[in-house]
Amino acid sequence: MDVEYGGNGALNADDAVPGLDVLQEANHPVWLWDLHRQRISWGNGAALSFWQEETLLDLIEHEFDPADPMAALFSDIQQSGPNETGLYPVTLDLLDGRRPVTLRCRLLMLDDGQPGILAELAEEASTETGRFTRFGQMVEQAPLALSLFDLEGQLLYQNPKADRLLGRSTAHSSLAALLGDSNLAEVLLGKAARSGTASRLVEVKTSETKGAAPFLCRLTLRKVEDPETGASAVVALWRDAAMRNAALETAAGEKAELQALLDAVSDFQWRMAYRDGAMRFTAMSEGFEALTGVKAETLEGLSFEELALRENVELPPALRQALSGGSPWRDIELAWTKGDCAENKDALYLSLSAVPLRTREGRQTGWAGIGKRTAPPQRKAPPALSEDIALFETLKFGVLLLDAKGTVTGANAYARQIFNIPLHGMPVCESFSAQDRTTIEGELAALHAEAKLAPEKDDTGLSVLLPAARTRTGTDQPLRLFLFDRAAEGAPRPLAVFFKTSSEELSRAETMRSSLAQAQSALKRKSDVTANIAHELRTPLNAILGFSEIMRDERFGPVENEKYKGYIANIHKSGQYLLSLINDFLDLSKVEAGGFTPNFEQVELLPLLEDCLELIRPAANEQNVIVRSDAQEDLPPVVADRRSLRQVILNLLSNAVKFTPEGGQVSLSAETDEAGNLLITVKDTGVGMDEADLRRAMEPYGQGRLGAARSGGTGLGLPLSRALCEANHASFAISSVPGEGTEIIITFPSTQVLLG
């Protein structure tokens, strides 16, 4: 056991305290007192004799009442500190009597971070064995099983605890009868008479309570004076060894279970204790070195601040705040640089959690915590398309929505066709020349100053030039801009920019405002009608599907007419087709009306693609179509809406299988290009389409001529897939050749690809 010595009067340069290995060989009694647990935690050989215990485990198990004179003395020393001499007179309650002694006491810190006291027996007032008084009352109330024997081993008295353990039939019996071995009883009694104590693990034979079979018991004999006769006698202390061993095994098992639980929920565990005015590491499990490359023992004795300075680790404010408080905390991230080498900048991220350690009085003494490796912070996903911008998607002029700082938060399709740069999150002024930038900044400042009056001005707009490098055509593009403050719509001072190319310039800004209001009203009406249609159609359709399924499965009796069976199957199949049509129609309408809000998250593509392939293979096998997968092994995750992306892949694979003749092939591949973009490709060797068919297939309810001849599809698969791709900020490109097949490429820009 390692200890730290400290405290006023406990240690100085002229009074050095030797280590426990030296104290172990001392002739005088020395023991360590655990102030937190109120018990002795270590003692040398002389201490075992002094306390009349056979082994160190017996000494550690020696129980003390909080009101015990020694326990009370040590608590006072902890509260007020040691005196100048470190010497304290005290009367100890020993099993063979009360004994006045003088103890030398020193405050110290135990190896588990708890406070303790090193006690040495300085002098004894008397070495004579004291007389017990009122022996019967004392033994009667003792928490241990005690018996009193004469020197011949005849039982004189035993308390209720001994009655329950040994059985009442042992009254007027002897130690030899209990042990079933007269020689052993004689040896133990002789040793107790000579040296004052004897201890041994014995088998006790009794017919009561424990049954006929003997049981293991730790027997400790101590020589005393019989208070009734004045003759020498022997006190026997009985402790059920099986119970103690079971308790030790239970404790060890619980400790192992707790460690297994900690290992399951964490990669390493750590502890801190209050030392030298700061919380310092006292323990760190081996998992820490495996993660960081830093040996755990090198951190012991360091505070978090010293750790951060030595390892060049930046402590986050949340961790500093948690350490300064006294409440449990969890999942605070800490960025760590792996390895001891300064050139190695392989950062890993640790998630730390901890609970405070406290004394019974509630004083915090340290922290017990766990740590685990966590994923790097996700790269921020591109801002989702503003719900407002969906109202402007079909307008034939450009719309940019800005926040109060002039940063683009949304752009409609017309604007995206003109600009060849990402618009989300970009200050609108940065797209233009330096001269135009100054002009636009001035107009934005004026809008903030004039607030809601700006839209009412008779404004012909600003003439600006979009440089060729910013356009999709690669040529300079003159634009006419109109800026509006949208605070009147209830938003916190957002702005809007409407523009047309100069060749199609609007005469007045109010014309655009009127068109926007009409578009918003029309889309709202369409959305309301769609919702009503869905409700009206789905209610009877669910009944049709449910009842037709019951009849098809003949749950209430057989349908004997085979034609009826065929009709029922057709009803159920047609109902499923109609439900699929309604669902696709609703999904497409929701996207077009801006009612679809993607739930962006980090999506691992390989499992998603494999799942889609497994779902489509049964249909492909029925048509004898080969389905192949060719995905990059180290495919990085993307920022997308998982559910809608899965729907897109399934739609495209289903179409590819449906329109591929027997013996054909469908392939699904995914890879990253040199620019960091991620491409998902679905290719088939099916019937294909010419340009006219392709335009028709990309319109809602439209189908190519060859496709319509092969399948009764809804004509919504491709338009819905394209709409969902755009909602995920991905591009959708399709090419097809009649008789050779179709290829569709979904491209996620590099800003949404989470490269390692």
Side-chain angles (χ1 to χ4, degrees):
M1 177 179 296
D2 297 323
V3 296
E4 287 184 13
Y5 299 100
N8 181 30
L11 179 63
N12 55 54
D14 299 327
D15 188 22
V17 177
L20 296 186
D21 55 339
V22 176
L23 295 174
Q24 177 67 41
E25 304 300 326
N27 293 324
H28 62 286
V30 183
W31 60 88
L32 283 176
W33 179 262
D34 188 328
L35 286 164
H36 175 64
R37 298 176 179 85
Q38 293 289 294
R39 62 173 173 80
I40 295 174
S41 61
W42 173 87
N44 66 358
L48 297 182
S49 297
F50 177 78
W51 288 102
Q52 299 183 349
E53 295 287 358
E54 183 70 9
T55 66
L56 180 58
L57 180 59
D58 293 324
L59 182 60
I60 291 173
E61 288 184 342
H62 197 113
E63 296 182 357
F64 292 85
D65 190 273
D68 182 273
M70 185 177 70
L73 169 65
F74 289 162
S75 295
D76 291 340
I77 294 174
Q78 181 186 19
Q79 296 296 327
S80 59
N83 59 27
E84 293 182 357
T85 65
L87 298 175
Y88 297 87
V90 63
T91 299
L92 301 181
D93 278 330
L94 304 176
L95 278 179
D96 56 358
R98 296 174 60 86
R99 182 176 301 178
V101 298
T102 298
L103 299 180
R104 180 183 300 276
C105 301
R106 296 175 172 87
L107 276 174
L108 49 78
M109 190 71 69
L110 303 180
D111 60 346
D112 61 356
Q114 299 296 337
I117 286 180
L118 179 70
E120 299 180 69
L121 188 63
E123 65 178 72
E124 293 187 58
S126 173
T127 58
E128 296 181 0
T129 303
R131 290 177 57 88
F132 280 110
T133 59
R134 302 177 65 188
F135 177 81
Q137 287 185 0
M138 184 186 72
V139 173
E140 187 80 15
Q141 299 172 3
L144 302 175
L146 296 176
S147 302
L148 183 66
F149 294 92
D150 62 20
L151 293 183
E152 301 300 323
Q154 294 301 311
L155 181 65
L156 302 176
Y157 178 83
Q158 69 182 22
N159 67 358
K161 287 275 189 180
D163 284 341
R164 287 192 292 272
L165 180 65
L166 305 175
R168 293 186 181 275
S169 64
T170 59
H172 311 296
S173 185
S174 64
L175 181 61
L178 283 170
L179 301 182
D181 188 337
S182 58
N183 290 331
L184 176 59
E186 183 178 349
V187 170
L188 292 175
L189 289 168
K191 183 179 179 183
R194 292 190 305 272
S195 62
T197 184
S199 179
R200 182 162 177 174
L201 194 65
V202 297
E203 284 189 346
V204 177
K205 298 181 182 295
T206 177
S207 59
E208 293 188 18
T209 307
K210 290 293 180 177
F215 65 95
L216 283 177
C217 186
R218 167 62 66 175
L219 170 62
T220 302
L221 300 178
R222 295 184 179 89
K223 183 180 178 181
V224 296
E225 184 176 312
D226 185 348
E228 301 296 333
T229 66
S232 296
V234 175
V235 169
L237 170 63
W238 307 89
R239 279 179 285 195
D240 190 340
M243 293 178 59
R244 186 180 73 178
N245 293 340
L248 291 175
E249 291 177 1
T250 301
E254 291 175 349
K255 184 177 180 181
E257 291 176 358
L258 176 60
Q259 186 62 47
L261 177 61
L262 290 174
D263 291 339
V265 301
S266 65
D267 294 318
F268 61 91
Q269 300 89 46
W270 54 274
R271 293 177 73 93
M272 302 188 81
Y274 191 77
R275 295 183 180 177
D276 299 333
M279 286 291 181
R280 301 185 181 278
F281 286 103
T282 59
M284 185 75 74
S285 67
E286 296 177 356
F288 182 79
E289 180 179 350
L291 281 179
T292 65
V294 178
K295 291 186 178 300
E297 57 265 24
T298 64
L299 301 183
E300 294 187 15
L302 296 180
S303 66
F304 256 110
E305 293 290 345
E306 292 167 343
L307 162 70
L309 182 62
R310 197 190 79 173
E311 299 294 333
N312 194 26
V313 173
E314 180 66 27
L315 296 184
L319 180 57
R320 294 177 185 271
Q321 183 177 357
L323 290 170
S324 64
S327 301
W329 44 272
R330 61 182 298 176
D331 297 334
I332 295 181
E333 289 194 355
L334 173 66
W336 192 280
T337 302
K338 282 188 75 174
D340 297 323
C341 179
E343 288 77 12
N344 186 357
K345 296 301 181 183
D346 243 356
L348 64 90
Y349 296 87
L350 305 179
S351 176
L352 303 180
S353 305
V355 294
L357 301 176
R358 302 184 183 279
T359 64
R360 287 183 296 180
E361 293 76 23
R363 180 173 59 87
Q364 183 178 356
T365 59
W367 293 101
I370 61 173
K372 59 184 177 180
R373 185 171 186 174
T374 186
Q378 293 187 11
R379 193 181 300 173
K380 287 188 177 180
L385 184 68
S386 168
E387 294 181 5
D388 295 338
I389 201 65
L391 301 176
F392 310 138
E393 281 292 282
T394 59
L395 299 182
K396 300 304 181 185
F397 54 85
V399 180
L400 299 178
L401 300 185
L402 315 177
D403 61 17
K405 297 180 180 180
T407 301
V408 177
T409 61
N412 72 346
Y414 189 97
R416 297 195 298 271
Q417 290 174 1
I418 292 179
F419 288 83
N420 72 338
I421 57 173
L423 293 170
H424 293 281
M426 180 195 70
V428 68
C429 299
E430 292 185 5
S431 299
F432 303 96
S433 64
Q435 180 178 356
D436 290 338
R437 187 180 306 167
T438 302
T439 303
I440 296 172
E441 288 175 346
E443 286 296 314
L444 290 175
L447 272 181
H448 280 297
E450 298 173 16
K452 300 178 183 179
L453 297 179
E456 309 301 328
K457 294 169 54 180
D458 186 9
D459 194 352
T460 58
L462 301 175
S463 293
V464 296
L465 188 67
L466 185 64
R470 304 278 185 173
T471 66
R472 291 191 180 275
T473 60
T475 59
D476 291 344
Q477 179 69 65
L479 300 177
R480 176 74 67 175
L481 302 185
F482 301 88
L483 283 73
F484 295 97
D485 187 329
R486 298 191 294 132
E489 300 174 15
R493 302 303 305 280
L495 307 172
V497 177
F498 307 116
F499 63 87
K500 269 276 192 175
T501 58
S502 294
S503 60
E504 303 171 305
E505 180 180 333
L506 294 177
S507 60
R508 297 178 62 85
E510 189 60 36
T511 303
M512 287 184 290
R513 288 175 56 81
S514 175
S515 299
L516 292 174
Q518 293 176 9
Q520 182 175 356
S521 176
L523 285 172
K524 187 177 185 304
R525 288 196 301 271
K526 177 182 177 182
S527 178
D528 291 342
V529 171
T530 300
N532 289 334
I533 290 175
H535 177 74
E536 295 298 330
L537 290 178
R538 277 177 167 166
T539 300
L541 185 56
N542 285 332
I544 292 172
L545 287 172
F547 290 134
S548 62
E549 184 176 342
I550 291 173
M551 290 187 290
R552 182 197 64 188
D553 297 341
E554 300 178 323
R555 295 181 188 176
F556 299 117
V559 177
E560 297 179 356
N561 192 308
E562 292 299 324
K563 286 188 177 182
Y564 285 165
K565 290 183 180 180
Y567 296 158
I568 293 169
N570 288 336
I571 291 171
H572 192 268
K573 184 176 180 181
S574 299
Q576 288 180 318
Y577 169 77
L578 182 57
L579 182 61
S580 174
L581 176 63
I582 292 172
N583 289 336
D584 287 348
F585 169 73
L586 290 175
D587 286 342
L588 183 61
S589 299
K590 185 184 294 184
V591 174
E592 289 180 343
F596 173 71
T597 303
N599 179 26
F600 285 109
E601 59 179 307
Q602 177 177 317
V603 178
E604 297 290 345
L605 281 178
L606 281 177
L608 185 145
L609 298 180
E610 285 297 329
D611 183 41
C612 292
L613 285 171
E614 287 302 316
L615 291 175
I616 209 66
R617 278 196 174 97
N621 292 337
E622 286 185 7
Q623 296 184 211
N624 291 325
V625 174
I626 300 173
V627 178
R628 300 183 183 276
S629 174
D630 185 22
Q632 181 178 316
E633 291 186 0
D634 56 344
L635 201 63
V638 298
V639 176
D641 178 81
R642 185 187 304 275
R643 187 194 66 80
S644 60
L645 179 58
R646 183 174 183 274
Q647 183 177 355
V648 168
I649 302 299
L650 283 174
N651 279 351
L652 299 183
L653 287 173
S654 177
N655 273 357
V657 170
K658 186 186 302 181
F659 299 122
T660 298
E662 184 175 351
Q665 296 186 15
V666 173
S667 64
L668 173 64
S669 62
E671 60 183 353
T672 55
D673 61 16
E674 295 180 356
N677 304 314
L678 191 144
L679 286 69
I680 301 175
T681 304
V682 178
K683 187 175 181 180
D684 64 62
T685 59
V687 296
M689 295 176 283
D690 57 22
E691 291 186 6
D693 283 338
L694 193 56
R695 286 194 301 271
R696 191 179 301 110
M698 294 309 297
E699 293 293 330
Y701 312 107
Q703 289 182 305
R705 290 167 296 174
L706 294 177
R710 289 183 57 86
S711 171
T714 63
L716 291 174
L718 288 178
L720 177 59
S721 297
R722 179 176 63 180
L724 291 176
C725 282
E726 292 175 352
N728 278 275
H729 303 160
S731 64
F732 182 95
I734 182 171
S735 59
S736 187
V737 177
E740 296 185 10
T742 302
E743 182 180 59
I744 299 174
I745 301 176
I746 301 170
T747 303
F748 283 92
S750 58
T751 54
Q752 289 179 245
V753 181
L754 302 177
L755 297 173

